[in-house]
Amino acid sequence: MNPVNYLYLACLLFTIGATGVLIRRNAIVVFMCIELMLNACNLAFVAFSRMHGNLDGQIFAFFTMVVAAAEVVVGLAIIVSLFRSRHSASVDDASLMKL
Amino acid sequence: MSFPLLTATAVLPAVGAIATAAVPAKQRTAAKWLALLFSLATLVVAAVVAVRFDPTGDRYQLTESHAWIEDFGVRYELGVDGIGVALIALTALLIPFVILAGWHDADPQETGAESLGSFAAGRWRPTQGFFALILLVEAMVIISFEATDVFLFYIFFEAMLIPMYFLIGGFGDRAGPHGEKEAATQRSYAAVKFLLYNLVGGLIMLAAVIGLYVVAGSFSLSEIAEARASGSLDMATNTERLLFLGFFFAFAVKAPLWPLHTWLPNAMGEATAPVAVLITAVVDKVGTFAMLRFCLQLFPEASKWATPVILVLALISIVYGALLAVGQRDIKRLVAYASISHFGFIIMGIFAMTSQGQSGATLYMVNHGISTAALMLVAGFLISRRGSRLIADYGGVQKVAPVLAGTFLIGGLATLSLPGLAPFVSEFLVLVGTFTRYPVVGIIATFGIVLAALYTLVLYQRTMTGPVKPSTEGIADLRVRELAVVVPLIGVLIFLGVYPKPLTELVNPAVKHTMSDVQKKDPKPEVEAAHK
Amino acid sequence: MENLIALLVAAPLLGAAVLLCGGRALDRVGHLLGTLLAAGSFVIAVVLFSDMLGKSPEDRTFSQHLFSWIPVEGFQADVAFQLDQLSMTFVLLISGVGTLIHIYSIGYMEHDERRRRFFGYLNLFLAAMLLLVLADNYLLLYVGWEGVGLASYLLIGFWQHKPSAATAAKKAFLVNRVGDMGLSIAIMLMFTTFGTFAFGPVLDSVGDTSEGKLTAIGLMLLLAACGKSAQVPLQSWLGDAMEGPTPVSALIHAATMVTAGVYLIVRSGAIFNAAPDAQLVVTIVGAVTLLFGAIVGCAKDDIKKALAGSTMSQIGYMVLAAGLGPIGYVFAIMHLVTHGFFKAGLFLGAGSVMHGMNDEVDMRKYGALRKYMPVTFVTFGLGYLAIIGFPGLSGFFSKDKIIEAAFAKGGTEGWILGSVALLGAAITAFYMTRVMIMTFFGEKRWQPDAEGHEPHPHESPSSMTIPMIVLAVGSVFAGGFFSIGDRFLNWLEPVTGHDHGHAPISAGVVTGATMVCLVIGVGIAWLQYGRREIPVVAPRGSLLTRAARRDLLQDDFNHVVLVRGGEHLTRSLVYVDHTLVDGVVNGTAASVGGLSGRLRKLQNGYVRSYAVSMFGGAAVIVAATLLMRAV
């Protein structure tokens, strides 16, 4: 199978994730969309690794997973504490970082 | 290696600042005495510097040199010439009087600390802070007079803005006519204005300092000057001019030269009288001093190129400052505008590029410091009695407080350069020095002496003479502490007016060096008169 | 002997320092100390004078070098004194009349609680004035010049609680400062031309430079002289200066300080001799002031202001004479000395009258005082006869010589100047007779003041009358003593030089014409004031009278042009400074603030909008990269 197709899939996944980040309000969904984008990148890394025949891309994919895991830990903690204090997980309600 | 005398003059007040700041909150009086003690000790060391300095010796003496940031060729290099010694002596002389005059300016009841509640008031240490900041300014000013490394100079030139900012913004006169809140707003406006003006100047200078390093490969004043003199360092005309403008702009803001002057009246008006003296008599002198030392020495050709414009600006400063002083209603702002006029004279003397002009300008820096201190501190004593800076609120003071009025008059007469008092010597030298090369400029500047008489005498007439106003009836005459401030200053004014020789002997060789830097000779008189 | 010169200045200077810094403890002896030191100065002057007389006329120049004052590269100013015949004349006049007026002031200021300070100021004045005439270079002269200005400022404004006195003092100082500007420019010109400003080198090398330079120096010196000596156009301060205590008017504003301008011109004679254009201007200024002062003097009802007008006019004579060059120098100084006697006497007499009349100065409220104040009447009368030039008295000799010299100038100029001087003599006779009649003759016209106190004219105490008597003796005999055998001429000639000129008419004719003028002046005054009742309230008067009462509208001119104009200028400059100079900076600050206010709106707090901008930015970067690749 042509590895380019994996790249198309990665593009599709990334676009879905990005659209989700932009249009959804629920923080959990936004968060999952971000994960989707990260994984789209991972897919692209692995595909390129395959296409170019070296392991750099796969190593990067592992890095991305570690970062994603760390992000999940911090991000979910923030979302949970936000929900506790504001009884809402909507990102539009948390627009306090402005003057 | 000999004892680092120059470092000592700067370190002593810095140590004093730390010690004063560390005094516990309750021991305010101890903090004052400690600050006074350190300032007097600095005066003693400065006197030793003046004695050890040999006017006939090398250009820079008592030099110290240590590596500092070697990667950029920045060195800790100190050295003084006669001009530096004179100004260090002025600074060291004035600070004890500034401290003594501001004895009660930073007491907690003056700064509204009661409103902070008992807990905060216990830790609130405005008095310690006030005197520590003054000593810190002294340390920085003195080291700027000593630095012979451009980068070192730049650091302290800029750093002194920080303590000055807090001195202006943090301590003011008692509630003005519009209440404490309005006064605080005005004060912070003045402090921010002071800071912004000088930061912009400093920023442009920083660019020029870096540019100089790129071109010359060194920050050392003596190295660059030597390389320039020997011809091994050849700057392109335009490069030299741009670098000169960068340096000059910063000094002209600090000096201040028209039209960069508007921060001075605000700062001097809002600050307490001793701080105002610190601004105009001490800190601003760094600007004019740096013109002599850095602009003329590093960029002689560009200095000559810019002379016509600078002379015109100086002339405008002289006349414009004096006219605005006439139009002021606020005593302190009046003195500020008078100072702008006087700084015009100093800058004119520097750029006239004659021996008389430059000697006169250096003497002018010293004399203006002392005369303004005398006038401003007495004005401050007057203002502290009545709580108003407006001229119209006074009248007939000489009837109720004759000594105060008398000392105020002497301060005023010094400001208008009456012969017999020190400023006359310097003003006349500046005028003569300018006249020999630029007669028209000299003649126009002479109008300044008429205007000086106008603003001084109008101020004296409105505040001191006439029938006693009800508002001035209770004004007490000068107290012992205040006399101890004013009398020595007046004594110095009279002494230097009658016998300025010690000062001129100190300054003359330095001026000769500067004249050879710019490769200018005094114009010869038309007739070599047959001397007796 | 020469080392005594510094003591001349030091004695009164010491007095001033002690009296002004001494505090209340000295209140009881201050006036005695001041007088003693003034007298000490006079004694030293007499000692030096007798020493000088013992030497031959060529060796009569003493000098004393004290110390180098301002040593700067290429610039040498010394504190050094020079005492020659010209300075000696002034020193004797200043310390002599000065001492007399100190004595007079003991009585006059007896009831003033600040008498000690008054004597301190008087001593300060003496020191500065002596420094002025003893200096051996122009810069030191300048020190004395401004020093007397300061003393005059302090003394005019001595009663500072009166706003009018404070204003008059300030005005005097300011107008003088304009003159001082001239002196400082003259010194600068000398420095650029000769490289020095010591009398000797400058005056000796006058021949080496161009006439244009010398004319410029001369005109600047004249400006200085106009300021100090109240000559047109800087005369406006002298009338107001009468706000000061009367002894001050006598000493400073009649006998000594106001004649400093004449001293300056005579001292710089060599410069003026080589600059005929400057000389011409000097004579014109002298002639104009001579008439100006005389006309003003005719219209004033305030006795001191009438005398002030007269002073201006008499100094006009001196300046005129000094402008004539070597023909006139000696006579200018001679008139200066005799004028010092009789004008000081007249002022002291006026002070004595005021002392007895509750400080009333309006002559219309005097009258018939000769019965109440006989000594004052006689001494004032002798001064009066001297000033109008009554034959045999001082003024006769000195003024007559000036008129002769004016004619001797020759040409049309000579005729014009001579006629003006003659006309001036007639007007002098008129206004002085008017003063005399209104004060001492006729019916008594005084009335109770607002509080109902009727003045009780009485003779003044002897401390006041003795100086008046001494001055009256001087007014009578000085002129004759100087003129007989040309004593004064021989005394001064080695310093000032002398030239007889070529008079178109003989001295006898001039004297005759002067006498005719005198009789006409006295006659008209007698017809107008002696035969008619003098109204207590001044009549409206002719246009000229009204203008003369207002100092020929000089003050109105100053007020409209200088004061108003200056006020407008400073106000508009304050506005400009606030709105324009400061405005540019504040405007920059405000526009930066405004811009950041706009930019702030972008920060709306919505995470998603930030994300859009991030994606947008990323898209742009990618697009740009691709585009670059493609190109």
Side-chain angles (χ1 to χ4, degrees):
Chain A
M1 199 168 137
N2 190 352
V4 177
N5 291 336
Y6 291 100
L7 289 183
Y8 290 135
L9 180 60
C11 281
L12 193 67
L13 286 175
F14 190 90
T15 315
I16 293 169
T19 319
V21 167
L22 293 182
I23 62 173
R24 297 303 296 259
R25 286 189 196 158
N26 191 312
I28 302 284
V29 177
V30 171
F31 197 69
M32 278 158 54
C33 290
I34 292 173
E35 290 300 315
L36 197 58
M37 285 157 70
L38 282 171
N39 283 316
C41 295
N42 274 349
L43 187 58
F45 272 129
V46 175
F48 281 125
S49 167
R50 174 79 181 172
M51 283 161 78
H52 295 162
N54 61 15
L55 289 176
D56 291 0
Q58 297 193 21
I59 293 168
F60 263 107
F62 281 114
F63 271 112
T64 316
M65 281 180 201
V66 173
V67 171
E71 197 197 328
V72 168
V73 172
V74 179
L76 276 178
I78 291 174
I79 291 169
V80 168
S81 63
L82 198 68
F83 182 77
R84 275 195 187 154
S85 66
R86 306 181 68 86
H87 302 289
S88 151
S90 166
V91 287
D92 286 4
D93 285 353
S95 63
L96 301 173
M97 294 284 278
K98 64 176 179 185
L99 272 167
Chain B
M1 205 185 119
S2 59
F3 181 73
L5 210 50
L6 291 185
T7 306
T9 52
V11 165
L12 206 53
V15 171
I18 296 167
T20 310
V23 172
K26 300 273 179 199
Q27 262 96 47
R28 280 190 292 276
T29 316
K32 294 172 185 177
W33 281 106
L34 194 65
L36 185 62
L37 209 66
F38 268 100
S39 67
L40 287 174
T42 313
L43 180 58
V44 172
V45 180
V48 173
V49 169
V51 172
R52 289 275 296 278
F53 182 82
D54 173 18
T56 54
D58 293 342
R59 179 169 193 177
Y60 292 111
Q61 297 181 21
L62 306 170
T63 50
E64 295 167 30
S65 180
H66 304 281
W68 185 25
I69 312 177
E70 290 191 35
D71 290 344
F72 299 111
V74 178
R75 295 182 67 80
Y76 177 78
E77 271 192 352
L78 301 182
V80 283
D81 56 1
I83 301 171
V85 172
L87 289 170
I88 291 169
L90 167 75
T91 310
L93 177 74
L94 282 181
I95 298 294
F97 296 117
V98 166
I99 289 176
L100 209 52
W103 206 246
H104 295 302
D105 281 3
D107 287 352
Q109 65 270 20
E110 302 277 329
T111 48
E114 282 95 353
S115 57
L116 292 172
S118 58
F119 171 70
R123 297 186 1 188
W124 181 238
R125 299 193 292 179
T127 315
Q128 283 86 338
F130 183 72
F131 292 105
L133 288 171
I134 290 178
L135 286 175
L136 198 59
V137 172
E138 178 180 19
M140 289 175 174
V141 169
I142 287 181
I143 209 157
S144 334
F145 288 139
E146 293 168 347
T148 51
D149 184 281
V150 179
F151 196 79
L152 185 67
F153 170 82
Y154 171 76
I155 288 175
F156 287 100
F157 183 77
E158 285 292 278
M160 74 180 82
L161 299 180
I162 301 162
M164 281 316 298
Y165 171 78
F166 288 111
L167 280 174
I168 297 168
F171 306 90
D173 293 324
R174 270 184 306 162
H178 305 294
E180 184 60 44
K181 192 142 187 233
E182 171 67 18
T185 317
Q186 286 293 323
R187 207 149 62 217
S188 68
Y189 171 73
V192 170
K193 197 171 180 182
F194 163 82
L195 192 67
L196 282 183
Y197 263 82
N198 283 287
L199 275 182
V200 170
L203 191 69
I204 293 176
M205 180 178 162
L206 178 63
V209 168
I210 295 169
L212 180 70
Y213 180 69
V214 170
V215 176
S218 165
F219 284 120
S220 165
L221 188 65
S222 46
E223 268 178 40
I224 299 175
E226 224 167 78
R228 298 226 56 183
S230 67
S232 62
L233 172 61
D234 205 15
M235 283 189 204
T237 317
N238 279 334
T239 319
E240 189 187 336
R241 287 177 184 176
L242 280 176
L243 291 178
F244 167 81
L245 287 179
F247 277 86
F248 184 79
F249 185 79
F251 303 149
V253 169
K254 187 144 273 183
L257 184 67
W258 189 90
L260 306 168
H261 64 276
T262 52
W263 63 269
L264 186 71
N266 283 87
M268 280 179 73
E270 299 305 325
T272 62
V275 174
V277 170
L278 205 59
I279 299 170
T280 186
V282 177
V283 171
D284 285 355
K285 295 296 182 306
V286 181
T288 44
F289 164 80
M291 286 181 197
L292 257 178
R293 175 167 278 182
F294 295 102
C295 286
L296 294 195
Q297 206 171 328
L298 293 174
F299 317 109
E301 291 307 316
S303 301
K304 283 186 260 183
W305 161 74
T307 296
V309 178
I310 293 172
L311 282 182
V312 169
L313 290 180
L315 210 50
I316 294 176
S317 283
I318 292 170
V319 177
Y320 183 90
L323 281 174
L324 273 159
V326 176
Q328 294 303 312
R329 294 175 195 159
D330 174 325
I331 300 176
K332 284 158 117 187
R333 286 178 70 93
L334 190 150
V335 180
Y337 278 106
S339 287
I340 291 169
S341 178
H342 289 141
F343 277 111
F345 274 108
I346 297 177
I347 295 171
M348 188 174 86
I350 293 173
F351 281 90
M353 304 209 189
T354 54
S355 308
Q356 299 91 39
Q358 293 192 343
S359 294
T362 311
L363 294 190
Y364 211 124
M365 290 185 221
V366 176
N367 295 338
H368 170 256
I370 301 167
S371 68
T372 308
L375 182 65
M376 193 70 180
L377 292 178
V378 179
F381 298 148
L382 181 66
I383 291 166
S384 71
R385 281 162 169 66
R386 170 76 175 71
S388 165
R389 307 199 310 249
L390 292 181
I391 296 172
D393 285 345
Y394 297 92
V397 174
Q398 66 87 26
K399 190 92 179 168
V400 287
V403 179
L404 192 153
T407 49
F408 191 70
L409 181 62
I410 296 178
L413 293 174
T415 305
L416 64 78
S417 302
L418 191 86
L421 297 172
F424 168 74
V425 176
S426 42
E427 190 160 302
F428 196 80
L429 280 174
V430 166
L431 284 173
V432 163
T434 311
F435 187 86
T436 49
R437 208 184 284 282
Y438 308 98
V440 179
V441 176
I443 289 174
I444 298 174
T446 329
F447 281 98
I449 69 172
V450 179
L451 292 172
L454 184 61
Y455 60 69
T456 315
L457 295 184
V458 168
L459 173 65
Y460 182 78
Q461 187 192 355
R462 295 211 180 131
T463 52
M464 300 296 172
T465 69
V468 182
K469 283 195 183 174
S471 56
T472 50
E473 258 164 18
I475 285 182
D477 215 330
L478 291 184
R479 301 183 185 92
V480 176
R481 170 179 63 86
E482 295 166 333
L483 278 175
V485 173
V486 177
V487 171
L489 287 178
I490 289 176
V492 175
L493 280 178
I494 294 175
F495 176 76
L496 287 182
V498 177
Y499 196 67
K501 201 169 161 190
L503 208 53
T504 56
E505 276 182 351
L506 202 59
V507 167
N508 282 344
V511 166
K512 220 181 230 173
H513 282 297
T514 318
M515 288 293 288
S516 73
D517 284 337
V518 293
Q519 293 172 337
K520 281 261 190 182
K521 286 213 169 59
D522 289 333
K524 279 263 172 288
E526 192 185 307
V527 182
E528 279 295 341
H531 288 278
K532 293 184 251 188
Chain C
M1 194 57 81
E2 299 191 340
N3 295 336
L4 284 177
I5 300 175
L7 277 182
L8 281 173
V9 182
L13 195 62
L14 175 76
V18 170
L19 291 177
L20 292 178
C21 305
R24 298 258 150 82
L26 286 172
D27 270 356
R28 282 195 302 156
V29 291
H31 51 282
L32 297 178
L33 181 69
T35 312
L36 203 66
L37 285 166
S41 202
F42 180 64
V43 170
I44 301 168
V46 171
V47 170
L48 282 165
F49 179 59
S50 59
D51 187 52
M52 191 180 272
L53 282 180
K55 302 203 167 163
S56 68
E58 294 77 38
D59 302 334
R60 282 179 177 170
T61 303
F62 298 168
S63 60
Q64 184 184 10
H65 185 273
L66 273 192
F67 56 88
S68 168
W69 181 27
I70 314 178
V72 168
E73 186 74 21
F75 182 94
Q76 186 65 33
D78 293 333
V79 175
F81 300 122
Q82 172 189 328
L83 183 68
D84 59 8
Q85 290 93 322
L86 182 60
S87 318
M88 193 72 236
T89 314
F90 272 88
V91 168
L92 286 172
L93 176 75
I94 294 160
S95 57
V97 175
T99 307
L100 287 177
I101 284 169
H102 273 77
I103 297 170
Y104 178 89
S105 307
I106 295 177
Y108 191 83
M109 301 296 284
E110 196 171 2
H111 304 297
D112 198 304
E113 55 176 352
R114 291 157 72 229
R115 180 163 68 164
R116 171 181 56 88
R117 216 194 292 184
F118 181 80
F119 276 84
Y121 292 159
L122 276 187
N123 271 348
L124 178 67
F125 168 76
L126 278 191
M129 190 71 205
L130 288 169
L131 183 65
L132 195 165
V133 295
L134 285 171
D136 93 328
N137 60 67
Y138 282 97
L139 196 64
L140 195 61
L141 181 146
Y142 187 72
V143 176
W145 191 265
E146 289 242 314
V148 292
L150 170 68
S152 155
Y153 168 78
L154 293 169
L155 285 167
I156 295 170
F158 186 71
W159 287 316
Q160 287 180 323
H161 52 88
K162 287 199 296 186
S164 57
T167 309
K170 183 189 68 185
K171 182 176 175 185
F173 196 93
L174 281 178
V175 176
N176 268 299
R177 260 271 152 137
V178 176
D180 297 349
M181 207 178 102
L183 186 53
S184 58
I185 293 177
I187 297 175
M188 293 192 276
L189 272 169
M190 284 175 204
F191 182 73
T192 47
T193 314
F194 303 109
T196 175
F197 35 73
F199 289 149
V202 168
L203 299 175
D204 288 345
S205 46
V206 159
D208 300 338
T209 186
S210 66
E211 197 185 310
K213 274 259 166 74
L214 291 174
T215 308
I217 295 175
L219 289 178
M220 285 298 121
L221 289 174
L222 175 65
L223 180 64
C226 283
K228 197 68 45 188
S229 295
Q231 300 293 295
V232 175
L234 298 178
Q235 85 295 4
S236 67
W237 62 272
L238 188 61
D240 293 350
M242 296 300 126
E243 285 289 341
T246 308
V248 173
S249 312
L251 177 61
I252 301 185
H253 306 119
T256 55
M257 184 191 85
V258 286
T259 57
V262 182
Y263 170 78
L264 184 68
I265 296 175
V266 174
R267 175 58 81 194
S268 319
I271 294 173
F272 283 97
N273 292 345
D277 292 344
Q279 265 187 333
L280 181 65
V281 180
V282 174
T283 52
I284 292 172
V285 165
V288 169
T289 313
L290 187 171
L291 291 179
F292 186 104
I295 292 169
V296 170
C298 293
K300 294 283 184 186
D301 289 332
D302 178 329
I303 185 169
K304 284 177 74 181
K305 291 201 170 164
L307 289 177
S310 155
T311 304
M312 223 185 268
S313 165
Q314 298 299 316
I315 298 173
Y317 270 109
M318 300 170 209
V319 171
L320 169 63
L324 296 172
I327 317 173
Y329 290 141
V330 173
F331 303 128
I333 300 297
M334 188 161 119
H335 192 55
L336 191 157
V337 175
T338 56
H339 174 256
F341 282 116
F342 55 68
K343 188 51 71 61
L346 287 170
F347 264 110
L348 293 190
S352 174
V353 169
M354 286 160 59
H355 196 70
M357 295 290 289
N358 293 353
D359 287 331
E360 177 61 65
V361 288
D362 189 349
M363 291 191 290
R364 292 186 183 276
K365 295 180 182 156
Y366 291 165
L369 288 176
R370 69 179 187 282
K371 293 176 225 156
Y372 301 91
M373 305 178 166
V375 182
T376 307
F377 168 62
V378 172
T379 53
F380 196 93
L382 289 173
Y384 156 73
L385 291 177
I387 193 174
I388 63 172
F390 192 78
L393 273 69
S394 289
F396 168 75
F397 292 103
S398 52
K399 199 188 286 178
D400 200 47
K401 286 276 198 277
I402 291 180
I403 299 174
E404 275 175 37
F407 279 112
K409 169 95 175 162
T412 331
E413 277 165 55
W415 281 104
I416 295 174
L417 294 174
S419 322
V420 168
L422 270 179
L423 180 62
I427 306 179
T428 307
F430 172 79
Y431 67 72
M432 282 313 299
T433 312
R434 174 174 175 269
V435 169
M436 195 70 199
I437 291 174
M438 285 174 88
T439 307
F440 291 102
F441 293 92
E443 294 303 311
K444 69 168 192 168
R445 295 184 297 276
W446 62 81
Q447 296 151 339
D449 60 11
E451 288 148 26
H453 299 299
E454 174 127 6
H456 297 287
H458 54 84
E459 192 51 84
S460 301
S462 57
S463 68
M464 288 167 70
T465 49
I466 290 172
M468 283 153 61
I469 294 168
V470 175
L471 287 171
V473 171
S475 320
V476 173
F477 297 111
F481 178 76
F482 290 157
S483 292
I484 293 165
D486 284 339
R487 280 203 188 101
F488 203 75
L489 184 62
N490 296 335
W491 162 250
L492 269 189
E493 199 182 349
V495 184
T496 59
H498 188 65
D499 179 3
H500 286 287
H502 30 76
I505 43 178
S506 74
V509 178
V510 173
T511 311
T514 316
M515 284 305 112
V516 173
C517 287
L518 192 158
V519 171
I520 292 173
V522 173
I524 296 176
W526 186 73
L527 285 176
Q528 200 164 357
Y529 297 97
R531 297 208 321 172
R532 286 190 228 156
E533 189 76 5
I534 297 165
V536 176
V537 177
R540 206 170 127 77
S542 68
L543 206 60
L544 180 66
T545 316
R546 272 179 282 151
R549 275 190 199 135
R550 310 192 57 153
D551 297 322
L552 295 177
L553 304 181
Q554 152 92 29
D555 276 341
D556 304 73
F557 174 81
N558 282 352
H559 189 76
V560 171
V561 176
L562 297 176
V563 178
R564 280 285 163 75
E567 274 172 5
H568 284 300
L569 180 67
T570 52
R571 277 212 206 112
S572 47
L573 273 181
V574 169
Y575 181 75
V576 164
D577 197 54
H578 195 72
T579 51
L580 212 70
V581 182
D582 220 12
V584 169
V585 179
N586 285 346
T588 316
S591 55
V592 170
L595 189 65
S596 40
R598 299 267 156 70
L599 287 174
R600 201 180 67 186
K601 299 250 165 69
L602 292 176
Q603 305 283 318
N604 56 11
Y606 292 112
V607 178
R608 286 183 300 158
S609 72
Y610 299 158
V612 170
S613 52
M614 272 169 68
F615 281 123
V620 168
I621 290 172
V622 169
T625 322
L626 288 178
L627 218 64
M628 296 289 271
R629 277 267 190 88
V631 176

